[in-house]
Amino acid sequence: MELRTLRYFVAVAEELHFGRAATRLHMSQPPLSRAIKRLEADVGALLFARSPTGVTLTPVGAVLLDEARALLDHADRVRVRVRVAAAAGAATITVGILGDGTDPGVSRLAAAYRRTHPGVDIRIRDTDLTDPTCGLRTGLVDVALTRAPFDETALTVRTLRTDPVGVVLRADDPLARCDRLRLAELSDRRWFQFPVGTDPVWQSYWNGGTPREGPVVRAVQECLHAVLWNGTVGLAPLGHDLPAELAVVPLIDMPPSRVVAVCNEGDTNPLIRSFIEIAAAAYRPWAR
């Protein structure tokens, strides 16, 4: 019984839907279904009752869910302790970055971290918009530079900066001539959406707090093309360079977007803690 398979099982048990679980795990559904079937064969019992509308846990599945969560929590604690032990020597940390890597805060942070930790190998993982934690929950990264809000359960989040938000429109859109707008003025427009299974707090924020309809996108460039080709409405932090064919109009009733540094709650790796403290200092000139 592998830890990876248990992580798959927990995702399906929490989502109660193979498709949503596969999206959350950033994998396709067929290998996920096969992994769960192998796990059921291993334990000798069905873990899920399947139906056309989704799945429910069987009594055996409910027992395994409690045990799997405990095992995965213990494995995470072991991983943290090993990383802390290794931090005194040559070490590597993986940083997930969502959004614009040309942010001046990122450049200042990179320079400051190199000065204070010259022996640490930093690996960068660029991520799309479907996972605001940049792979932190699935163990793909050690720390993330991203944007809030999102589900912060079991995470430690440090706000680095807040950015006002505007609506991205085609330059020939009549609303693009406005100095500022309210969300209500965009209620009849199509908005871009993130795939099913994306963090609902994250999805709701970028939809202005209201359920919307529109094309599904995963990356920043896909968002911009959705606006350019289809006139779709999208939101974006102010201050980013856009193609001449697009315009951004500030929204006066939209809460700002927070740039944050995030790690797993309880992670005591000194390299990660130091990374977050250096990030806070690097972003201070732009903090609001």
Side-chain angles (χ1 to χ4, degrees), residues 2 4 8 17 33 41 54 66 71 85 120 131 139 179 181 187 198 221 226 272 288:
E2 299 180 352
R4 181 175 60 179
Y8 291 171
H17 192 283
S33 298
D66 289 339
L71 283 170
V120 177
D131 178 14
D179 292 330
L181 290 167
S187 60
T198 300
Q221 287 301 314
I272 295 174
R288 296 181 179 89

Side-chain angles (χ1 to χ4, degrees), residues 6 39 49 59 74 85 91 98 102 116 144 147 156 161 164 196 201 228 286:
L6 290 179
L39 180 60
H74 179 70
L98 179 142
T102 63
T116 55
R147 287 186 177 274
T156 297
R161 191 184 70 210
V196 174
V201 178
L228 181 63
W286 299 278

Side-chain angles (χ1 to χ4, degrees), residues 189-201:
R189 302 297 187 95
R190 284 167 54 81
W191 294 50
F192 56 65
Q193 305 295 300
F194 299 133
V196 174
T198 300
D199 185 314
V201 178

Side-chain angles (χ1 to χ4, degrees), residues 45-286:
L46 289 177
L47 302 174
F48 298 101
R50 296 159 174 82
S51 72
T53 58
V55 296
T56 56
L57 277 170
T58 64
V60 175
V63 171
L64 181 59
L65 179 59
D66 289 339
E67 297 296 335
R69 282 171 170 163
L71 283 170
L72 293 173
D73 285 344
H74 179 70
D76 288 341
R77 289 194 297 271
V78 169
R79 182 176 60 180
V80 167
R81 292 185 64 184
V82 170
R83 285 177 176 170
V84 171
T92 299
I93 63 172
T94 302
V95 181
I97 295 182
L98 179 142
D100 187 1
T102 63
D103 187 314
V106 174
S107 300
R108 285 174 60 96
L109 168 56
Y113 201 81
R114 283 198 308 271
R115 286 195 302 270
T116 55
H117 298 78
V120 177
D121 182 25
I122 302 294
R123 298 177 181 175
I124 300 299
R125 180 175 185 267
D126 286 323
T127 58
D128 62 27
L129 301 175
T130 64
D131 178 14
T133 71
C134 303
L136 188 62
R137 292 195 187 280
T138 54
L140 295 175
V141 302
D142 302 298
V143 62
L145 288 174
T146 182
R147 287 186 177 274
F150 47 80
D151 179 7
E152 298 184 5
T153 304
L155 301 176
T156 297
V157 180
R158 177 78 170 268
T159 297
L160 306 178
R161 191 184 70 210
T162 57
D163 294 331
V165 173
V167 56
V168 181
L169 302 164
R170 247 187 352 223
D172 59 0
D173 190 307
L175 293 181
R177 296 193 292 270
C178 298
D179 292 330
R180 59 190 61 191
L181 290 167
R182 292 182 178 275
L183 288 168
E185 296 175 85
L186 305 167
S187 60
D188 61 340
R189 302 297 187 95
R190 284 167 54 81
W191 294 50
F192 56 65
Q193 305 295 300
F194 299 133
V196 174
T198 300
D199 185 314
V201 178
W202 173 255
Q203 173 87 298
S204 177
Y205 176 82
W206 293 107
N207 277 176
T210 301
R212 312 284 185 177
E213 294 183 356
V216 174
V217 298
R218 292 178 174 272
V220 171
Q221 287 301 314
E222 291 180 9
C223 299
L224 297 180
H225 281 296
V227 178
L228 181 63
W229 290 85
N230 301 312
T232 307
V233 164
L235 303 187
L238 300 184
H240 289 266
D241 292 332
L242 293 175
E245 298 84 3
L246 300 178
V248 59
V249 179
L251 287 166
I252 62 176
D253 56 349
M254 182 72 188
S257 170
R258 291 185 292 132
V259 179
V260 296
V262 191
C263 67
N264 285 305
E265 189 175 76
D267 193 336
T268 58
N269 186 335
L271 295 177
I272 295 174
R273 293 296 175 178
S274 177
F275 182 95
I276 293 176
E277 291 303 320
I278 294 171
Y283 276 82
R284 195 166 292 133
W286 299 278

